[in-house]
Structure formats: structure tokens, C-alpha cells
Amino acid sequence: MAKRLVIATAAMGIEALVAKEVRDLGYECTVEDGKVYIDCELEDIPRLNLWLRTADRVKLVVAEFKATSFEKLFDQVKDLPWSELLPWEANYVVNGRSVKSKLFSIRDCQKITEKAIVSHMQEAYNMGDEWLPKTGASFPIEVALLKDIATLTIDTSGDALHKRGYREFHSAAPLKETMAAAMLMLTNWKPDMPLYDVFTGSGTLAIEAAMIGRNIAPGINREFASQEWACIPKKAWFDAIKEANDKAEWDKPLKIYANDTDPEMVKLAKQNAELADVRDAINVMQRDAADFKPKEDFGVIIGNPPYGERLEDAREVHQLYRKIGNAFREFPYYSVYMITSYVEFEKAFGRPATKRRKLYNGNIEVQFYQYYGLRRKKPQS
């Protein structure tokens, strides 16, 4: 099969993590802001969708070209090989974006693109002026213009990849599964180490850790738009799903602990862990983060605490961070990782972070504070 270009989209700040995942799967890629370009074949799309933990979507690139007039946009879109990818009854919708481009009307870009695709399909399938039925598989198409360069893509994922299929229930301000996975990848945690998720909420960090620890493909419990596409052989999906099942270590013992002060959140975390098939890997309990008392001498503490976004909550959050700073200091062999938008976190916590990294939790700019634990001395032989 001919090589194809695929884009894995990502939240700003974690593109390098997506690229590492892509390379670990055996594909070459290049990184741009919010995107990772991947060289692969159509048959590789199932593996990318099943395995990428930190990407938002996997999009098939149909073409990229310069477009400074609607005539040029129409002609170039019409000349693309749509009939190689879309059956005549394809159910497609065209969405659009335009940034710093002469063709700034998104609505007009969408209409011109759809009109050009219809014209191509009618000619390719000898349909004359007959309407396309759009009763078949879903093909979400996007025309995105950036500085007069048009990129035509088809979304192979359908629902965004953070929708793993296990979080039917969530807290009021949930952490996206993809961001939780990224946070874990930025820590020094390994599956043979204890992990404490001390503000577990709906359990996302603990569940993602269990899936990483047991090598469970994040997309194994969901479906994707491209599963119904005729241009991707059914065998490719069968092989990718079989590989994911074969590589999963469903019974691998892990030391993952999750706690929250809210009994409803504790219940929620247990339900979601059950849906993710990792309930046996996580010890969920009702406990205050400041009452941290680990069972082991060393490990990793991670958390997505309250941010204190509202002015009236800021003092309470400051006190909370001071309490956990005092509590965690008693365990110097534990590394601590906290994500928050609260600008005075380090002051409240009581010490500067070893490292900090700017990330985005949804639309909120946050800092990922990293405190490395002391290295344990190896016993003398």
C-alpha cells in the first residue's frame, strides 16, 4: 500500500510525548505546534487509534495546498482522490477553520469544499446531478486554512481519543484522560513502584496508571469512525485488536492507591475503575491528602488538586497546599507531582519545584510542578 500522511493532534505542550508514543509504535514522525505528522499506511490507522494515550485525534491527510481564492479551493479539492477513500453513499460532514488566511469565511470554505467533493463524487460514480444519499459510514472531513495553506483531513477517530469508554461518570471539573496519561509519562513512576493519587476525583489518574502499568491499549474498550471504512481492510482492525489483547497484562499486580475526601468521589472512582476493568489494581479509599501515610519507603505522589479559580476559594486552597506540603515533606524518598493553575503554589507548598512545565487542562493554563524524591542508597554488597 502507498504511504499516507496522518496527523495526531495534541494539546499544546505534550506534542513531544505523542511523538515518543508514535516512534515507540514503530513509525517515523515530525512535530509541529499541536500536531504530530506520521508516515504510515491506511492499515496502520487502527493501531494508532488503539494505542495513542496522549493524542486527541488521528486524522488522515488527504492533501495540503495553497488556496487564496474560492476558485482555487474548489478546483484543488475537486481534483483530490475522494472516491478512493469515500464510497458513493459516504455520510460526510465538512467542518472548517481559518487562521490568518485570505479565505477567512469559515462557512464559505465549508460550502465550497463540500460542493467540490460532491462534484468529484458525482463524476467518479457516474451519478450525473443525482444527490449523494449519505446513508453509509461516517467520514468527518475538515478544511483547515492557516496562512493560506489549506489542509484537508478526515477524522479517523470519531469521538476524541480521551473518551476511552470507561468514564460514564465524572466529577464537575474532570481531568481529561489524555492529560492524565501525559502527566504520568512526565513522572519517574514505573509500574513496579507505588503510586498515590491523592486527589482522585473520578479516578482518572489512577485508572490511566493502571492501564499503563498493565500495558492495556487505551482504545481497547471503544469504537472508532474508521472501523466502518471500506478503504481500511477489516483484517487491519482484527489484527490491531488482537495485538492489543495479546499485549495486555490483565492480572499484573500493581501498587496504585487513590483517595479523596468526598465519599461520592470515592464511589465514582470505584465505578469507573470497574468499567475500565482495572478495579482490582487500585486501592480506593476516603482520606484527606494531608493525612498521607504510605505503606512503602519510596514511591510517587501525584494529584490534580482544587485550583482556587474563584477569589473566595484562593485562601482555602492556599491552606490546603500548605498542609500537603508539610505532610509530604515527611517522606523525602517520594517524588511529588501536582498540576494547578494557582500561581502561588510553590510558596504555599513550602519549597520551589525541581522542575515545572506549562500545560493546558482543557482551556486552563496550568503548571505541572515536579519535586524529585531523594535517591535511595543501594545496600552494600
Side-chain angles (χ1 to χ4, degrees):
M1 291 290 287
K3 282 283 184 182
R4 290 279 182 175
L5 195 60
V6 163
I7 294 173
T9 61
M12 296 293 285
I14 64 169
E15 299 94 339
L17 293 176
V18 177
K20 183 182 184 304
E21 287 194 86
V22 169
R23 293 179 184 123
D24 287 347
L25 286 171
Y27 306 108
E28 294 182 5
C29 64
T30 55
V31 179
E32 290 187 10
D33 286 349
K35 299 176 184 175
V36 177
Y37 283 88
I38 308 165
D39 288 316
C40 64
E41 297 174 359
L42 284 173
E43 286 91 339
D44 297 315
I45 285 172
R47 291 189 74 228
L48 292 167
N49 273 299
L50 279 164
W51 282 103
L52 292 181
R53 297 183 192 278
T54 56
D56 289 332
R57 293 180 183 277
V58 175
K59 296 181 176 182
L60 174 64
V61 179
V62 184
E64 289 187 331
F65 52 80
K66 189 168 186 176
T68 53
S69 71
F70 287 122
E71 291 79 14
K72 287 181 180 177
L73 179 64
F74 179 90
D75 291 342
Q76 291 181 95
V77 171
K78 184 181 175 183
D79 286 343
L80 296 176
W82 296 106
S83 53
E84 292 179 14
L85 300 168
L86 278 62
W88 70 276
E89 78 281 9
N91 179 17
Y92 67 89
V93 176
V94 179
N95 291 309
R97 286 186 291 133
S98 182
V99 179
K100 298 179 181 177
S101 298
K102 289 185 177 67
L103 304 182
F104 58 84
S105 170
I106 295 171
R107 186 178 179 185
D108 287 335
C109 289
Q110 290 173 208
K111 286 170 67 177
I112 293 293
T113 298
E114 180 160 6
K115 188 176 178 181
I117 296 171
V118 168
S119 182
H120 172 99
M121 296 286 280
Q122 287 172 332
E123 288 182 15
Y125 290 105
N126 298 313
M127 297 177 68
D129 293 332
E130 187 180 338
W131 285 98
L132 302 175
K134 292 191 175 184
T135 55
S138 175
F139 289 80
I141 296 170
E142 181 182 69
V143 52
L145 286 107
L146 175 61
K147 296 178 181 177
D148 296 327
I149 301 299
T151 303
L152 275 293
T153 59
I154 311 176
D155 181 4
T156 74
S157 302
D159 285 338
L161 293 181
H162 77 271
K163 295 186 177 179
R164 314 286 207 219
Y166 67 72
R167 198 166 68 177
E168 289 184 10
F169 315 97
H170 57 77
S171 53
L175 184 71
K176 273 190 177 180
E177 293 86 337
T178 44
M179 181 54 65
M183 287 169 59
L184 288 157
M185 290 179 187
L186 290 170
T187 72
N188 62 353
W189 179 70
K190 299 288 186 292
D192 61 347
M193 296 168 62
L195 179 80
Y196 287 81
D197 173 13
V198 292
F199 296 97
T200 202
S202 51
T204 310
L205 275 164
I207 292 168
E208 289 296 315
M211 294 180 77
I212 291 170
R214 288 182 169 178
N215 202 31
I216 299 169
I220 203 165
N221 285 325
R222 56 161 285 176
E223 295 180 346
F224 305 91
S226 50
Q227 280 181 264
E228 301 301 318
W229 296 3
C231 60
I232 300 179
K234 292 289 184 188
K235 186 178 185 303
W237 282 104
F238 176 84
D239 290 346
I241 292 168
K242 183 179 185 303
E243 177 194 32
N245 278 305
D246 288 347
K247 287 188 172 181
E249 301 174 70
W250 296 102
D251 299 320
K252 182 176 179 177
L254 298 169
K255 294 179 180 178
I256 299 174
Y257 306 92
N259 59 268
D260 202 285
T261 55
D262 186 343
E264 287 301 311
M265 289 298 101
V266 171
K267 183 180 176 183
L268 204 53
K270 289 178 179 179
Q271 288 176 311
N272 289 335
E274 194 76 47
L275 288 169
D277 293 326
V278 292
R279 178 67 188 88
D280 64 311
I282 306 169
N283 185 345
V284 187
M285 69 198 87
Q286 183 182 350
R287 187 174 65 183
D288 193 308
D291 293 332
F292 179 70
K293 291 181 177 59
K295 298 181 179 182
E296 302 85 358
D297 295 334
F298 74 102
V300 169
I301 304 165
I302 194 166
N304 176 36
Y307 295 173
E309 289 289 309
R310 295 183 303 177
L311 192 62
E312 60 267 30
D313 296 334
R315 181 179 293 180
E316 192 176 326
V317 162
H318 193 94
Q319 291 173 346
L320 171 64
Y321 292 165
R322 192 179 69 222
K323 283 170 63 180
I324 63 172
N326 291 334
F328 299 163
R329 200 175 294 115
E330 299 295 315
F331 306 97
Y333 295 102
Y334 272 76
S335 293
V336 179
Y337 300 87
M338 293 285 143
I339 190 170
T340 179
S341 63
Y342 186 66
V343 293
E344 294 191 352
F345 175 82
E346 288 167 301
K347 182 180 177 182
F349 195 72
R351 54 190 164 124
T354 314
K355 266 176 86 173
R356 50 192 280 187
R357 182 169 180 149
K358 183 168 76 172
L359 297 173
Y360 288 88
N361 184 9
N363 295 322
I364 303 172
E365 183 181 312
V366 293
Q367 292 288 336
F368 189 44
Y369 295 95
Q370 305 167 52
Y371 295 84
Y372 299 161
L374 296 178
R375 287 181 176 271
R376 291 181 303 151
K377 291 182 180 179
K378 292 183 178 178
Q380 298 290 329
S381 56

